[in-house]
């Protein structure tokens, strides 16, 4: 079992290095548990504040919602992986443009915490600074 | 390699025992300072112009000042939510935690903020800490007018 979850995480997340329009999401979607919980370390009142529950919700977010929120997403190099039991953490840095404000976020570090269950991703939490995103999309 | 990973995790656990609610060191940040290299660099993932947290803190004295003066100067009632988790590989350890705190300026309580601390070691001392965390609430509150 050692490092197998890292390889699964690597397959799921390698799509992040591709442009949104060209991404092959199959590897990512194929590794989602049916009852997956997906979320961001986001403040209240933004389009990513609430956790998503279930595989279809994550598919819908990935293919429809996310492309409407940000564009020109790029990774600043390969991800770095850490594993402990059924948990994998992926570290990386990314750049993207926030559609509503036009602000370009450059080389922002992030951590993705993935909990595996029976070889599938049961929980994903992305931790990163969302100040620019919240400024653009915060309600009220 | 596994032995080295475990050694680094053990060091990180000792260094961050001040955040472990079940440790006798809980709340004693001086324990953490003992693990800092003289040329340690501490960075929070935020824009450089973010009040208090923006820009790298370079050197042991600057990091100690941040933890003893700057951070406590703007936040209060800091609470660690649950146990810390340590994942290590080579000379790097990722510490996962969640914290709640009150922003002094506006009195707003921020709850259950997830954080990933990326800690690099060299010769059993911490040379680099990257604090990956969402600071949008802090940025928003620091720009608000102070409540009457």
């Amino acid at each position: 079992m050692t490092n197998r979850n890292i390889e699964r995480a690597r397959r799921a997340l390698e799509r992040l290095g591709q442009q949104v329009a060209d991404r092959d999401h199959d590897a990512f979607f194929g590794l989602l548990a049916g009852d997956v919980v997906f979320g961001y370390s986001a403040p209240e009142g933004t389009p990513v504040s609430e956790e998503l529950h279930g595989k279809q919700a994550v598919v819908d977010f990935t293919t429809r919602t996310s492309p409407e929120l940000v564009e020109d997403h790029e990774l600043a190099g390969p991800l770095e992986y850490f594993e402990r039991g059924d948990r994998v953490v992926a570290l990386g840095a990314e750049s993207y443009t926030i559609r509503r404000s036009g602000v370009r976020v450059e080389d922002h570090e992030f951590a993705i915490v993935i909990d595996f269950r029976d070889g599938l991703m049961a929980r994903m939490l992305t931790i990163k600074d969302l100040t620019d995103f919240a400024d653009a999309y915060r309600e009220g | 390699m596994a032995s080295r990973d475990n050694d680094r995790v053990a060091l990180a656990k000792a260094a961050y025992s001040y955040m472990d609610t079940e440790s006798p060191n809980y709340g004693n940040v001086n324990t953490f300072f003992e693990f800092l290299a003289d040329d340690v660099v501490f960075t929070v993932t935020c824009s450089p112009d973010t009040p208090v947290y923006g820009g790298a803190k370079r050197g042991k004295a600057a990091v100690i000042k941040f933890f003893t003066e700057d951070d406590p100067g703007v936040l209060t009632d800091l609470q660690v939510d649950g146990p810390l988790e340590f994942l290590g590989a080579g000379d790097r350890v990722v510490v996962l935690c969640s914290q709640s705190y009150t922003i002094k300026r506006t009195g707003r309580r921020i709850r259950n903020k997830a954080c990933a601390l990326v800690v690099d070691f060299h010769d059993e001392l911490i040379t680099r800490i990257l604090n990956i965390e969402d600071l949008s609430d802090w940025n928003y509150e620091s720009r608000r007018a102070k409540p009457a």
Side-chain angles (χ1 to χ4, degrees), chain A residues 41-44 80-84 87-89 91-92 108-111 113 125 127-132 134-135 138 140, chain B residues 13 45-47 85-89 92-94 96 108 113-116 118 128 130 132-137 139-140 143:
Chain A
S41 59
E44 295 176 351
E80 185 179 2
Y81 295 88
F82 300 78
E83 180 179 31
R84 179 175 177 269
R87 175 163 283 185
V88 171
V89 174
L91 301 180
H108 274 212
E109 293 95 345
F110 62 83
V113 183
L125 170 67
I127 303 171
K128 59 183 175 182
D129 180 44
L130 285 166
T131 295
D132 291 314
D135 284 347
R138 191 191 302 261
Chain B
K13 286 182 176 179
T45 52
C46 60
S47 171
E85 184 171 358
F86 299 80
L87 299 89
R92 176 165 286 179
V93 178
V94 178
L96 300 178
R108 182 170 169 207
K113 210 61 170 175
C115 178
V118 184
R128 178 179 176 268
L130 174 64
I132 301 177
E133 184 176 348
D134 172 49
L135 258 66
S136 56
D137 287 315
N139 274 296
Y140 180 77
R143 294 191 299 249

Side-chain angles (χ1 to χ4, degrees), chain B residues 103 105-106 108 136-144:
Chain B
I103 297 174
R105 188 167 179 270
T106 60
R108 182 170 169 207
S136 56
D137 287 315
W138 162 252
N139 274 296
Y140 180 77
E141 294 297 322
S142 67
R143 294 191 299 249
R144 279 180 61 196

Side-chain angles (χ1 to χ4, degrees), chain A residues 65-116:
Chain A
T65 307
S66 181
E68 294 175 352
L69 299 174
V70 300
E71 60 183 343
D72 296 330
H73 182 262
E74 297 175 336
L75 287 185
L79 302 184
E80 185 179 2
Y81 295 88
F82 300 78
E83 180 179 31
R84 179 175 177 269
D86 291 327
R87 175 163 283 185
V88 171
V89 174
L91 301 180
E94 61 183 351
S95 301
Y96 54 88
T97 299
I98 300 168
R99 283 188 178 270
R100 178 175 279 188
S101 62
V103 170
R104 180 72 179 167
V105 172
E106 294 277 9
D107 296 332
H108 274 212
E109 293 95 345
F110 62 83
I112 301 175
V113 183
I114 305 172
D115 292 333
F116 282 87

Side-chain angles (χ1 to χ4, degrees), chain B residues 113-133:
Chain B
K113 210 61 170 175
C115 178
L117 306 170
V118 184
V119 184
D120 291 344
F121 285 88
H122 180 69
D123 291 340
E124 300 194 345
L125 292 177
I126 297 171
T127 56
R128 178 179 176 268
I129 304 168
L130 174 64
N131 182 336
I132 301 177
E133 184 176 348

